[in-house]
Amino acid sequence: MSGTESEKRPEADRRTRVTVLVALAANLVIAVAKAVGGVAVGSPALLSEAAHSVADSFNEVFLLAALRRSRRPPDERHPFGYGKERFFWALLAAVGIFVMGGCFSVFQGIEALRNGAEEKLSGYVAGLIVLGVAFCAEGISLIRALHQVRREQRGLRDPALRTVVAEDGTAVLGVLLAIAGMALHMITGQVAWEASASLAIGALLVFVAYRLGADARDQLIGEAADPELSRRIRAQLAAESEIDSVEALLTMRTGLESTLVAARVDLVPGLDSERVEEVLVRIKRSLARTFSEADQIFLDVTDRSAHEAVESPAATGERGGA
């Protein structure tokens, strides 16, 4: 990885940490306000939104842990580094949204349909004021997150930033649903409107949790690099005069900005073992310079009958920065 790239990563992580902290502060304040208001006025929609904010608050703590732990350098037990910590904690955040937010909201909606909810005019007014303040706070946090997405080259590829955007966007929609449910309950006197809003919030949270969890799952089990990056790596390998053909190219993201590259190549005839080793070292270093994400590069020669078997750091693989 180049020096410029390694300097940019901590700065980008610092901005992401600030974004997560802004979202955490907003969710903590809003969660307390919604919970107090929901209990005081007996509003199922408001209680659902309180559960949503509590879930988001826990998730921000998970994301802060992801930012800190994923920066640890490789060691003997984890030679490819700790980059996938980001995806693990993002998966826990998705589970938190599902359990604490989605399931509780659905439960509140069902309970309201079964048992009803009695609210006075003052309760409606207080609840709507709380939701209005929550809408402003969540909106500010969402604008901050979207602004960073536009600034960052990696954008929504960062699971921490993607989770914050999803949480804040869902929170804004959830507040609008809760306001609509409370307003219609107040106008018609039918609790079904507010219960339906709570159920809709729950369904929205379950959907968002599923999408975030699916993304994290793909990364944890070993997702390939972006197809465009793979295409460019293959093209550079094929352009090397000593390479006759690229038999196979395998890639796997090992972190937010780190990728493992394993290529099986067939070299042109007539290269002796010493020349093969020199060629592989040069090609590997060229790839590492061109593609900063490729911090683990492995090259293997396929035609060992024409080219002597070479067991060297270049042939068996070493860190891209070497």
Side-chain angles (χ1 to χ4, degrees):
M1 181 180 297
S2 66
T4 301
E5 185 71 19
S6 61
E7 291 169 4
K8 287 181 179 178
R9 182 179 295 182
E11 177 61 23
D13 283 353
R14 186 193 65 81
R15 289 193 294 267
T16 300
R17 189 183 305 107
V18 172
T19 298
V20 174
L21 287 172
V22 169
L24 175 60
N27 280 315
L28 285 174
V29 174
I30 294 168
V32 173
K34 289 177 180 177
V36 172
V39 172
V41 305
S43 167
L46 202 51
L47 287 173
S48 296
E49 273 299 295
H52 181 184
S53 295
V54 170
D56 287 351
S57 299
F58 276 104
N59 293 339
E60 259 83 63
V61 175
F62 291 155
L63 298 180
L64 290 173
L67 291 172
R68 180 177 61 84
R69 295 177 64 85
S70 65
R71 292 197 306 271
R72 290 181 295 171
D75 54 34
E76 184 177 350
R77 188 175 181 184
H78 297 89
F80 294 106
Y82 290 82
K84 287 194 175 185
E85 285 264 15
R86 287 183 184 251
F87 311 128
F88 169 73
W89 291 100
L91 179 61
L92 289 186
V95 173
I97 293 174
F98 176 82
V99 175
M100 291 186 288
C103 293
F104 184 80
S105 296
V106 171
F107 171 77
Q108 282 294 315
I110 294 174
E111 281 295 297
L113 287 175
R114 290 176 54 190
N115 303 322
E118 294 295 332
E119 298 180 51
K120 298 179 180 179
L121 179 61
S122 59
Y124 288 118
V125 173
L128 291 173
I129 291 175
V130 170
L131 289 173
V133 173
F135 179 82
C136 294
E138 297 284 11
I140 291 172
S141 180
L142 178 60
I143 290 171
R144 157 83 195 190
L146 291 175
H147 176 67
Q148 185 177 347
V149 169
R150 288 194 295 268
R151 288 182 58 189
E152 300 288 347
Q153 183 178 3
R154 62 194 187 186
L156 291 178
R157 290 191 301 111
D158 185 344
L161 193 54
R162 182 170 63 246
T163 301
V164 172
V165 171
E167 286 178 350
D168 289 344
T170 304
V172 169
L173 289 176
V175 168
L176 292 176
L177 286 171
I179 289 174
M182 289 189 69
L184 289 171
H185 184 187
M186 179 175 62
I187 294 170
T188 65
Q190 298 295 318
V191 73
W193 289 107
E194 201 165 344
S196 297
S198 186
L199 290 171
I201 292 169
L204 180 63
L205 291 173
V206 168
F207 173 75
V208 170
Y210 170 77
R211 291 304 305 270
L212 291 174
D215 289 341
R217 176 205 61 197
D218 290 342
Q219 300 297 342
L220 286 172
I221 64 178
E223 187 176 50
D226 181 77
E228 175 62 20
L229 176 61
S230 297
R231 186 194 65 78
R232 291 169 55 207
I233 292 174
R234 180 181 286 273
Q236 180 162 325
L237 286 171
E240 296 288 347
S241 59
E242 295 88 353
I243 293 181
D244 188 45
S245 64
V246 180
E247 298 299 321
L249 176 64
L250 304 175
T251 62
M252 183 177 70
R253 291 182 62 194
T254 56
L256 181 59
E257 293 174 347
S258 58
T259 302
L260 182 149
V261 177
R264 189 174 297 116
V265 299
D266 190 8
L267 301 182
V268 296
L271 299 178
D272 59 30
S273 60
E274 184 176 348
R275 177 63 175 151
V276 168
E277 182 176 353
E278 292 175 357
V279 166
L280 293 179
V281 169
R282 180 182 59 78
I283 292 175
K284 197 173 79 69
R285 289 178 176 172
S286 176
L287 287 174
R289 285 194 302 268
T290 305
F291 306 101
S292 59
E293 309 98 312
D295 60 349
Q296 298 281 353
I297 302 174
F298 297 81
L299 299 179
D300 181 48
V301 178
T302 59
D303 190 358
R304 294 190 182 274
S305 62
H307 314 297
E308 296 177 24
V310 180
E311 292 297 335
S312 66
T316 58
E318 60 184 31
R319 290 195 63 80

